[in-house]
Amino acid sequence: MNPQPRRRTFNTPAPPASPFPYHPGSLLSILDLSVDGVSRLLARATELEKQDPLKRNRILAKRRIALLFYESSTRTRTSFELAAKALGADTTLVSNLSSSIEKGESLKDTGLTLRALGAEAIILRHNSSGAPWLLEQSARLPVLNAGDGMHEHPTQALLDLRTILAHLRPGVRALGADTLAGVTVTIVGDILHSRVARSNMLMLPRLGARVVLCGPKELLPETATQSATGTLPRRQGPAAGGVEIERDFEEAMRESQAIMMLRIQAERLAGLQLDLEEYKAGYQLTGQRLAAHAPKAIVMHPGPIIRGMEITAGVADGVQSTILEQVTNGVAIRMAVVERALTAGVPSDRSPSPGWKEGGRA
Amino acid sequence: MTALAIRNGHLIDPAAGVDTAKDILLKDGRVAEIAGPGKLKHAEGAEVIDAAGLTVAPGLIDIHVHLREPGQGYKETIATGTAAAAAGGFTAVAAMPNTTPVNDSPEITRWMQSPERGAQVRVFPIGAATRGSKGETLNDFAALKAAGAVAVSDDGQPILKDGVMRESLAAAARVGLAVIQHAEDTRMAQGASMNLGPASFRLGLRGMPPEAESSLVERDIRLVSELRDAHPHLHVAHASTAAAVAAVRQARRNGLRVTCEVAPHHFLLTEEHVGLYNTHAKMNPPLRSAADRDAMIEGILDGVVDAIATDHAPHAPHEKEVEFEHAPNGITGLETALGLCLRWLHKEWRLPLGRVLSLLSAQPAALLNLKGRGTLAVGSYADVVIFDPKAEWVYRVAETKSKARNTLFDGWTMQGKVRWTICEGRVAYTNPA
Ligand SMILES: [Zn+2]
């Protein structure tokens, strides 16, 4: 055998720092928010929740918000819709069953059409990762990412955080880098296809939490932890990461204060064969497991739940479950996020001319 | 045809071992005379190009471009693609057959070379290896070659079946053509739109493992080895992984005729350039890891890489303005190749100018057996590029000659400005200082 050739490394040009400036009201990735930004949104959610509904619905009275949903979604769509309406906004739903989308109109053209119709913000759920960036760039409106493909679901991460704080850090006001120090959150199941997992693992470590990912190799590749410390341009990701993999569910449970269960996304498995009985044996959250290994942890689930698959009915309905609380928190968080979308000003470096793409925020 | 005398330039002709001040006379589409400065004997009445301070070299040859004709003229035409080639210093390009319809016949091969296409530089069609590039039934390689095809390939559609690839290699060897393989085991890359790794996980995109490339290269090398008595020539298109280049290196040590090319984007960029779903960074093979990128540079520097080829893949703007996973693959490359090679391979990584030019002309010409090209020896085709090796300039895609705008190099600093591109004695592009 010949010896391995000497490995050299070379300096080549770095990727550009900023592909384009966002609207400051947009929320595409959880990393678009600083820790202070998260803190403000959570505080605002609480204020809005407590406000007199008759006063509250004057905040965005008659402002126009489009819900653009390429994937069916009951929970997220209803939550956003109720949040927008609670602030007095008019909403209109365009779904994948709408005729223009069915006829193959591009996302760019749909965005431009909604803008021309007077929409002031677009809430987008899309089955392709990255679609919100495309829409933001072409429609030049605030865009709220309500879940893109296998990528991110930032409002879910915010509502999950609100839930975690309520149980593990009650009364905490301003958030910081050590707010969740000492807390381990285990995310279990189909991490590979989960945007909920990605948004959570990008945010929780920035508040000091340790995130443990748990699942079989097919659904949780080793690259998952490297990606958390990745260095994509202009994203202020967690420097240290704080994300680990633990394949043994019960071991992970023993260290956890919060356990977040995920559904297996059958629609995204793309030919991957999974032995469901084996999966349940390894990763189903049962009453016995919970009592034996994590009797004090909170049990979270972003929904939809497949009872008897990743979680038993008893656990889903049990005292440790925060599943319905998460849903309620969703409306409060989305009120704050929708309000931010329509009240943040247009940045000075973003003139609405066709040439606005030039330059950058960074 | 008028004669052209290029005076006062510095001639670099790697194939002829020339690297010195020479005047050169072009007549009737051929190189007629080479002499010391001011010493041309037959230049009377010739038009004169003053190449003082400039490098004169064999016209560049890109053995991997997509000119989109027939059938996809909205992306690019032979006329616009070759205009971009001329602007980039290329005097000959080899056009891949993934057109509509696929170029799997002598008729289409001839159609592409017809003067009516308005080509600005020489176009050498590459014929499809199999009917419709479906990987099943072999085409008539002798007929394709007679019509002008310089190689066979199903580029974009790898030849997966062992039997079909073996047949292709054997049949191509009989008529003296190379089989150019787009090495991608598509069974390992279902729905993939970028390299498999931390970045694809982070972006929630399905990834293409490096093994999808290297395993097919290894399979093909095994077939070449089994057929070694027939002397087949396997050419690996757009190598992008360390393992693929390593396999080619080993095959060559074993005395096999296996060659490979690398595209500028694969020796300069990595998967991180996908950024936040920049569809201009979507290509196949995808931008890889930094270690793979380093291996491409290493392979170029140590000589295992035989050619720089751009894989110029123009697309209409609306086609790239879509969701990342739905965007078509490819990046343009003809206008930026020389500037990037000089800026990075030569200036940054100290590859001698002659070697850079050889990778862009002499070696690709030898690889595809393009007689009389890739050199400026007397009698060769008068294919010349004259450029200012010192000039730094910034590439502006708004000024492109191509129909397409899908480049990642807009705004990049280039080294070496093309002043004249001369194809078979005719000025195809000029931009005097
Ligand atoms: Zn290819």
Side-chain angles (χ1 to χ4, degrees):
Chain A
M1 277 304 291
N2 291 293
Q4 274 293 306
R6 180 176 49 97
R7 286 262 73 87
R8 267 176 74 181
T9 54
F10 298 90
N11 291 322
T12 53
S18 167
F20 60 95
Y22 295 171
H23 191 288
S26 286
L27 181 58
L28 307 188
S29 163
I30 193 67
L31 293 179
D32 293 342
L33 296 171
S34 63
V35 169
D36 280 351
V38 172
S39 204
R40 279 196 297 275
L41 273 177
L42 261 54
R44 186 60 184 153
T46 302
E47 280 171 25
L48 288 168
E49 197 176 42
K50 287 185 190 145
Q51 233 175 52
D52 174 2
L54 294 177
K55 237 181 180 168
R56 193 169 62 192
N57 72 6
R58 290 200 294 258
I59 296 174
L60 296 180
K62 294 288 152 201
R63 303 288 297 271
R64 289 185 226 174
I65 297 172
L67 293 124
L68 181 51
F69 274 62
Y70 284 75
E71 273 182 349
S72 53
S73 146
T74 313
R75 190 180 306 248
T76 305
R77 198 202 70 215
T78 313
S79 178
F80 265 114
E81 203 167 346
L82 288 173
K85 289 207 163 109
L87 302 179
D90 284 344
T91 62
T92 181
L93 172 70
V94 182
S95 79
N96 48 334
L97 302 174
S98 307
S99 72
S100 63
I101 295 180
E102 269 202 313
K103 285 171 189 155
E105 184 177 69
S106 72
L107 179 58
K108 171 181 172 158
D109 284 322
T110 302
L112 289 173
T113 303
L114 289 174
R115 180 189 167 95
L117 286 168
E120 297 172 78
I122 302 174
I123 298 164
L124 177 69
R125 160 68 63 98
H126 202 285
N127 41 12
S128 291
S129 299
W133 278 263
L134 172 66
L135 183 67
E136 227 275 354
Q137 199 167 5
S138 41
R140 287 181 279 124
L141 286 176
V143 170
L144 301 180
N145 182 359
D148 64 320
M150 313 190 295
H151 182 228
E152 276 215 51
H153 196 350
T155 56
Q156 179 73 40
L158 291 171
L159 73 89
D160 286 342
L161 176 62
R162 190 172 198 244
T163 309
I164 291 168
L165 290 170
H167 286 268
L168 302 177
R169 293 291 183 269
V172 76
R173 288 184 172 274
L175 303 180
D178 57 356
T179 303
L180 290 177
V183 170
T184 294
V185 179
T186 293
I187 309 177
V188 189
D190 187 356
I191 312 283
L192 178 60
H193 301 111
S194 174
R195 48 202 177 206
V196 177
R198 281 179 182 76
S199 285
N200 270 299
M201 63 190 267
L202 288 171
M203 184 183 63
L204 292 171
R206 294 159 73 205
L207 301 170
R210 172 170 168 255
V211 171
V212 173
L213 305 174
C214 183
K217 279 208 163 56
E218 300 91 316
L219 300 177
L220 172 55
E222 292 291 331
T223 49
T225 50
Q226 300 163 34
S227 68
T229 54
T231 51
L232 264 191
R234 65 164 298 290
R235 311 185 93 178
Q236 57 275 61
V243 181
E244 297 158 34
I245 289 177
E246 170 57 64
R247 305 266 175 207
D248 183 333
F249 185 25
E250 293 176 2
E251 182 63 42
M253 285 177 75
R254 284 194 282 274
E255 300 164 8
S256 303
Q257 285 73 50
I259 302 169
M260 192 180 292
M261 303 304 297
L262 300 175
R263 163 182 84 92
I264 290 185
Q265 301 198 37
E267 70 276 21
R268 298 191 207 275
L269 287 184
L272 190 71
Q273 294 300 320
L274 208 66
D275 184 332
L276 292 182
E277 286 311 311
E278 203 177 294
Y279 180 80
K280 284 199 278 189
Y283 300 99
Q284 188 184 56
L285 187 54
T286 63
Q288 274 163 321
R289 268 194 171 130
L290 195 59
H293 304 291
K296 290 190 181 146
I298 57 170
V299 173
M300 308 173 71
H301 196 308
I305 298 170
I306 315 289
R307 286 172 187 248
M309 185 57 229
E310 71 274 7
I311 190 168
T312 59
V315 174
D317 299 333
V319 290
Q320 288 172 261
S321 166
T322 63
I323 296 173
L324 295 176
E325 209 179 304
Q326 287 170 268
V327 176
T328 308
N329 282 336
V331 179
I333 286 293
R334 286 170 183 132
M335 280 195 286
V337 168
V338 167
E339 181 192 40
R340 172 180 172 271
L342 288 187
T343 53
V346 175
S348 56
D349 63 353
R350 186 175 172 144
S351 63
S353 73
W356 67 274
K357 241 176 80 180
E358 305 293 324
R361 185 169 70 174
Chain B
M1 195 175 264
T2 52
L4 259 179
I6 303 165
R7 295 192 187 275
N8 309 320
H10 185 96
L11 178 62
I12 300 185
D13 183 357
V18 176
D19 186 346
T20 184
K22 289 279 185 197
D23 286 1
I24 172 166
L25 179 68
L26 311 177
K27 215 180 227 173
D28 299 328
R30 299 278 178 163
V31 177
E33 189 188 353
I34 295 174
K39 301 262 167 61
L40 286 175
K41 290 196 184 93
H42 308 287
E44 237 170 275
E47 232 177 90
V48 174
I49 288 176
D50 181 8
L54 305 179
T55 298
V56 179
L60 310 184
I61 297 171
D62 189 345
I63 59 174
H64 193 143
V65 303
H66 299 272
L67 297 179
R68 304 303 187 202
E69 277 193 311
Q72 298 160 7
Y74 69 97
K75 292 177 193 266
E76 187 82 290
T77 63
I78 290 175
T80 58
T82 53
F90 289 91
T91 54
V93 294
M96 283 297 176
N98 62 334
T99 46
T100 315
V102 167
N103 175 22
D104 57 6
S105 71
E107 291 72 33
I108 297 172
T109 301
R110 278 192 290 267
W111 183 91
M112 290 171 69
Q113 298 167 91
S114 156
E116 287 161 51
R117 300 290 83 74
Q120 301 299 302
V121 304
R122 180 57 59 184
V123 173
F124 292 110
I126 292 170
T130 66
R131 190 83 25 93
S133 281
K134 293 198 186 311
E136 300 285 344
T137 317
L138 249 55
N139 290 320
D140 182 344
F141 293 173
L144 286 170
K145 186 181 183 186
V150 294
V152 292
S153 177
D154 282 350
D155 186 42
Q157 304 291 342
I159 306 170
L160 289 180
K161 289 187 175 169
D162 291 8
V164 176
M165 187 61 184
R166 183 185 289 110
E167 284 293 302
S168 299
L169 287 164
R174 283 195 290 275
V175 298
L177 293 178
V179 177
I180 303 178
Q181 174 78 297
H182 166 121
E184 176 197 355
D185 190 335
T186 47
R187 294 161 296 201
M188 296 165 71
Q190 295 289 320
S193 49
M194 69 177 293
N195 187 44
L196 179 69
S200 69
F201 180 89
R202 185 174 52 224
L203 292 169
L205 293 169
R206 294 183 195 279
M208 193 181 291
E211 296 76 26
E213 174 173 287
S214 57
S215 68
L216 208 60
V217 170
E218 285 157 10
R219 192 277 316 254
D220 289 347
I221 289 172
R222 182 168 52 75
L223 295 174
V224 168
S225 174
E226 286 167 18
L227 292 164
R228 66 190 306 154
D229 294 340
H231 303 293
H233 176 191
L234 169 71
H235 178 69
V236 178
H238 42 53
S240 67
T241 59
V245 171
V248 171
R249 186 181 280 114
Q250 191 55 47
R252 284 249 276 279
R253 284 189 187 134
N254 295 341
L256 301 176
R257 180 111 207 261
V258 178
T259 53
C260 71
E261 73 197 23
V262 169
H265 48 269
H266 285 130
F267 71 71
L268 283 173
L269 309 176
T270 70
E271 57 199 340
E272 295 298 333
H273 284 82
V274 170
L276 290 166
Y277 307 95
N278 182 354
T279 55
H280 288 171
K282 184 178 176 188
M283 56 277 279
N284 186 2
L287 297 176
R288 302 284 190 181
S289 68
D292 284 320
R293 187 268 325 274
D294 289 351
M296 297 309 106
I297 301 169
E298 191 109 46
I300 291 166
L301 298 184
D302 76 10
V304 69
V305 173
D306 301 90
I308 304 294
T310 68
D311 196 4
H312 177 81
H315 293 289
H318 73 268
E319 294 178 298
K320 284 282 195 180
E321 278 183 325
V322 297
E323 297 84 343
F324 194 86
E325 60 185 281
H326 297 146
N329 290 308
I331 180 173
T332 60
L334 285 163
E335 293 176 328
T336 46
L338 179 65
L340 291 170
C341 286
L342 294 178
R343 169 67 186 80
W344 294 95
L345 295 178
H346 176 55
K347 187 176 173 191
E348 194 81 14
W349 302 316
R350 304 282 162 202
L351 190 65
L353 187 53
R355 293 236 357 245
V356 174
L357 294 173
S358 176
L359 283 163
L360 285 161
S361 57
Q363 286 171 280
L367 214 151
L368 292 186
N369 231 339
L370 306 176
K371 296 266 187 309
R373 308 211 186 240
T375 176
L376 289 175
V378 171
S380 319
Y381 285 99
D383 287 355
V384 188
V385 59
I386 304 172
F387 63 95
D388 180 350
K390 298 255 168 5
E392 276 195 7
W393 57 287
V394 174
Y395 181 65
R396 298 282 175 215
V397 72
E399 293 158 21
T400 184
K401 305 269 189 239
S402 167
K403 267 196 182 182
R405 302 278 183 281
N406 50 308
T407 176
L408 283 172
F409 300 118
D410 189 26
W412 280 47
T413 299
M414 306 276 151
Q415 172 97 23
K417 186 98 184 136
V418 175
R419 297 297 179 203
W420 279 275
T421 304
I422 299 163
C423 179
E424 294 174 17
R426 187 182 56 81
V427 174
Y429 173 82
T430 175
N431 179 15

